[in-house]
Amino acid sequence: MAETAKDSPLKAVQVEALVVMKVIKHCSQTFPTPATGFLVGMDSASTLQLTNSFPFPTIELPTPENTHHDNNSSNAATAAANLAGAAPRAKSNAAYQIDMIRKLREVNVDANNVGWYTSANVGNFVNLNMVENQYYYQKELNERTVALVHDVGRSAQGSLSLRAFRLSAAFMAAYKEGKFTTESLQKSNLRYQDILIELPLQIHNSHLLTSLLHQLPSPTPSSSLPFPTSLSSISVQSPLYPNFDSLDLSIDPFLEKTCDLLLESIESHHTELNNHQYYHRQLAREQAKITAWQQKRKAENTSRVLAKQSPLPEDEWTRLFKLPQEPNRLEVLLNSRQVEQYARQVDGFTAGVTSKMFVVKGNLLPGDMES
């Protein structure tokens, strides 16, 4: 039975409300520095259940004493972000996870490592740190693990952003091989869309918590309630009331920030393309030099044979010339996936704004207002 559950692919992720609240609290406290932690839970057939989470210990960086305060603060923020991004695969945190899981087993609660979580700002989570962390979890700890991404910037606008990702099998094989050249990518047919697999996520509440949520919006009764005579007499009122903030016609500031980040990612993508084109120009120049040298050596050997002398070796070009190394194409793949992520966010935001504009366009266009 266990083998059958292990062989079935993961199709969904179920997150307990406790995990959601702990992840939101930790990510909000460390914002804008990325927050990371590990997840424990159970693997039930094709659904991964996340029942608890624990943040990784933070490392305090020493404050440098220098007159350049702005440079020091930016460098410190970058160093803190790099340390937080690499925390899930650090040796000290691996020992911390093992110790925490051992203590959880002593109190007889779910103690299976099922992944890790990280925070993001405006969808900027597709980077090398995330790939390395998820590869470490899927390869070393447990193949059936997920990366939980909480977007703090998007959630601050009133809409909870919590997503679960896994690395695809094709990308795992390519990353294990460690070759991200043009030839290897063409051979494996790996595209930027094949890096991450997003799993549907569902938040699970206990029955007591669900009952509490249904009672929260209603005012507290002044007197005792009569006991219902039947099940049909119980009027269930939804805890979700109409939100008039959704009728706001102002452009979402989150959309403007996403467009700025999208332009930066496109510029980075063009930079990587220029580097690749420079590599091809360098390679063409070196190959032209090698061809000219080989032709010269062949002519020289022909004259030496006519003079009854021993020919010179024709493979000396391997010592004399050094071909440039092709740049890693992994950054291009990740950057392309990040551009796609920003484009999807812009598309989602503009759809809502455009719908509102069409609803009220009669009051926006001059001359169309009726007196």
Side-chain angles (χ1 to χ4, degrees):
M1 189 72 179
E3 293 181 357
T4 305
K6 185 177 181 180
D7 294 338
S8 60
L10 289 178
K11 297 181 180 178
V13 176
Q14 178 179 295
V15 187
E16 292 293 331
L18 173 65
V19 178
V20 176
M21 298 305 297
K22 293 177 70 173
V23 169
I24 292 175
K25 180 181 178 182
H26 182 211
C27 296
S28 301
Q29 289 176 345
T30 62
F31 185 79
T33 303
T36 52
F38 71 99
L39 304 167
V40 294
M42 294 179 59
D43 182 8
S44 175
S46 59
T47 302
L48 195 64
Q49 300 176 359
L50 313 182
T51 57
N52 212 336
S53 65
F54 299 93
F56 288 120
T58 57
I59 301 176
E60 297 293 338
L61 296 176
T63 304
E65 297 180 359
N66 202 329
T67 56
H68 303 287
H69 179 71
D70 295 338
N71 294 335
N72 290 337
S73 59
S74 61
N75 293 337
T78 303
N82 292 335
L83 283 176
R89 59 184 188 276
K91 293 183 178 180
S92 58
N93 289 333
Y96 170 73
Q97 292 183 66
I98 295 174
D99 183 58
M100 183 63 71
I101 289 176
R102 178 178 55 82
K103 293 179 179 179
L104 291 175
R105 287 174 178 169
E106 291 177 358
V107 295
N108 196 23
V109 296
D110 297 339
N112 298 321
N113 198 326
V114 293
W116 62 290
Y117 70 85
T118 183
S119 62
N121 184 23
V122 202
N124 60 346
F125 59 89
V126 185
N127 49 46
L128 191 59
N129 269 332
M130 180 189 179
V131 169
E132 290 180 350
N133 291 335
Q134 185 59 24
Y135 178 81
Y136 168 76
Y137 270 80
Q138 285 189 216
K139 180 178 179 296
E140 300 292 339
L141 300 182
N142 181 12
E143 194 275 332
R144 300 170 70 82
T145 54
V146 296
L148 202 64
V149 180
H150 172 56
D151 196 327
V152 182
R154 182 68 182 123
S155 300
Q157 302 297 323
S159 175
L160 175 63
S161 177
L162 197 64
R163 306 168 69 183
F165 294 93
R166 280 173 50 84
L167 294 178
S168 64
F171 184 82
M172 288 285 294
Y175 195 86
K176 182 179 180 180
E177 188 178 358
K179 293 182 180 180
F180 286 93
T181 61
T182 304
E183 182 182 357
S184 62
L185 293 179
Q186 290 177 350
K187 186 182 298 183
S188 62
N189 198 21
L190 182 65
R191 306 172 303 167
Y192 67 89
Q193 297 97 331
D194 303 329
I195 298 178
L196 296 175
I197 300 175
E198 185 174 3
L199 299 176
L201 187 142
Q202 179 184 9
I203 299 178
H204 178 262
N205 293 326
S206 64
H207 297 302
L208 289 176
L209 183 56
T210 303
S211 301
L212 176 63
L213 291 176
H214 278 282
Q215 294 175 5
L216 281 179
S218 59
T220 305
S222 57
S223 60
S224 59
L225 297 176
F227 192 79
T229 57
S230 63
L231 187 61
S232 59
S233 63
I234 302 177
S235 60
V236 179
Q237 190 176 21
S238 174
L240 301 178
Y241 281 91
N243 185 8
F244 294 102
D245 294 337
S246 60
L247 301 178
D248 188 9
L249 297 179
S250 62
I251 303 299
D252 196 341
F254 191 65
L255 175 60
E256 181 181 356
K257 179 66 174 177
T258 305
C259 291
D260 293 338
L261 293 175
L262 176 60
L263 292 177
E264 292 179 4
S265 298
I266 293 175
E267 290 178 358
S268 301
H269 186 70
H270 280 296
T271 301
E272 294 292 337
L273 290 181
N274 291 335
N275 293 338
H276 195 68
Q277 292 174 358
Y278 177 76
Y279 155 75
H280 280 290
R281 291 194 297 266
Q282 288 288 99
L283 181 62
R285 281 195 288 265
E286 292 297 323
Q287 288 177 343
K289 291 179 181 178
I290 293 173
T291 303
W293 184 90
Q294 288 176 339
Q295 291 176 353
K296 182 179 178 182
R297 177 55 59 93
K298 286 181 180 180
E300 186 178 355
N301 284 338
T302 302
S303 61
R304 289 177 67 89
V305 169
L306 294 176
K308 296 182 179 181
Q309 296 178 356
S310 59
L312 298 176
E314 296 185 0
D315 57 350
E316 285 187 358
W317 66 270
T318 56
R319 282 190 307 106
L320 300 176
F321 301 96
K322 185 178 181 181
L323 294 177
Q325 186 177 3
E326 183 179 358
N328 196 343
R329 305 291 290 170
L330 178 59
E331 287 292 340
V332 178
L333 289 175
L334 294 178
N335 203 9
S336 301
R337 179 62 178 81
Q338 184 65 76
V339 169
E340 182 193 29
Q341 173 65 30
Y342 288 144
R344 288 180 178 179
Q345 292 179 178
V346 171
D347 183 43
F349 299 145
T350 52
V353 175
T354 306
S355 301
K356 296 177 185 178
M357 293 302 178
F358 270 109
V359 170
V360 298
K361 71 175 182 178
N363 295 329
L364 295 179
L365 298 176
D368 290 347
M369 298 180 61
E370 298 180 359
S371 57

